[in-house]
Amino acid sequence: EQQHIKAAAAITHYITMFYTAAITKQSKNQPIGIGLEDTDYGIAISSINPEGPLSQTSLKPGLKLLIINNIEVSGLSPKEVGKILNNVGDKLVLSAVDIVPDITFQVNTSRKSKRDNRQTNERVVATMKRDINDATPT
């Protein structure tokens, strides 16, 4: 029996998780320890300094930065966002979002029987969803 398998994957929709961090800087010039990068989906956090005030918050690399002290930063460049961060006072509130796609897999199988030379086609569709607990399979 011969078997041919074809697989395809498509992003079907997004799961969105929101994060907000509020910190009080010890001085206006205290660095908050955040790295930013421009991505296809907006300004993303590229790094958080483990010694900085944001290290104890829920923010993490990969999140899309949305709001800084009630200022929407979507559509701004990392340089413009950096200027906003440098000009904020002692209190800082950052809001970010984690956008992770659900991925739908479609597997098509084709089997040809040696006995009667008949072909059977099957299709299996499954969706892989994000595990919000970040569990690791064992």
Side-chain angles (χ1 to χ4, degrees), residues 1-3 111-114:
E1 189 171 293
Q2 293 179 342
Q3 185 173 0
R111 298 176 196 206
K112 193 169 189 179
S113 172
K114 287 183 179 179

Side-chain angles (χ1 to χ4, degrees), residues 17-25 30-36 43-49 52-61 63-74 76 78 80-98:
M17 300 178 72
F18 293 93
Y19 299 84
T20 299
I23 62 168
T24 301
K25 299 192 313 181
Q30 178 190 17
I32 62 168
I34 190 171
L36 303 173
I43 299 297
I45 299 171
S46 60
S47 63
I48 292 183
N49 183 335
L54 287 176
S55 66
Q56 300 302 314
T57 69
S58 61
L59 298 183
K60 60 187 176 182
L63 296 178
K64 176 184 174 183
L65 195 56
L66 296 177
I67 299 169
I68 301 170
N69 285 7
N70 294 322
I71 302 169
E72 176 154 355
V73 297
S74 296
L76 299 180
E80 292 168 316
V81 173
K83 285 181 184 177
I84 292 170
L85 288 170
N86 289 332
N87 291 321
V88 297
D90 295 343
K91 296 198 184 296
L92 179 64
V93 179
L94 300 169
S95 295
V97 65
D98 188 5

Side-chain angles (χ1 to χ4, degrees), residues 73-128:
V73 297
S74 296
L76 299 180
S77 71
K79 189 175 183 178
E80 292 168 316
V81 173
K83 285 181 184 177
I84 292 170
L85 288 170
N86 289 332
N87 291 321
V88 297
D90 295 343
K91 296 198 184 296
L92 179 64
V93 179
L94 300 169
S95 295
V97 65
D98 188 5
I99 301 175
V100 179
D102 281 357
I103 300 175
T104 299
F105 294 92
Q106 178 176 310
V107 179
N108 295 316
T109 63
S110 176
R111 298 176 196 206
K112 193 169 189 179
S113 172
K114 287 183 179 179
R115 248 187 329 184
D116 57 9
N117 208 23
R118 194 173 59 172
Q119 186 163 331
T120 305
N121 296 314
E122 297 174 338
R123 182 174 82 174
V124 177
V125 178
T127 300
M128 182 175 76

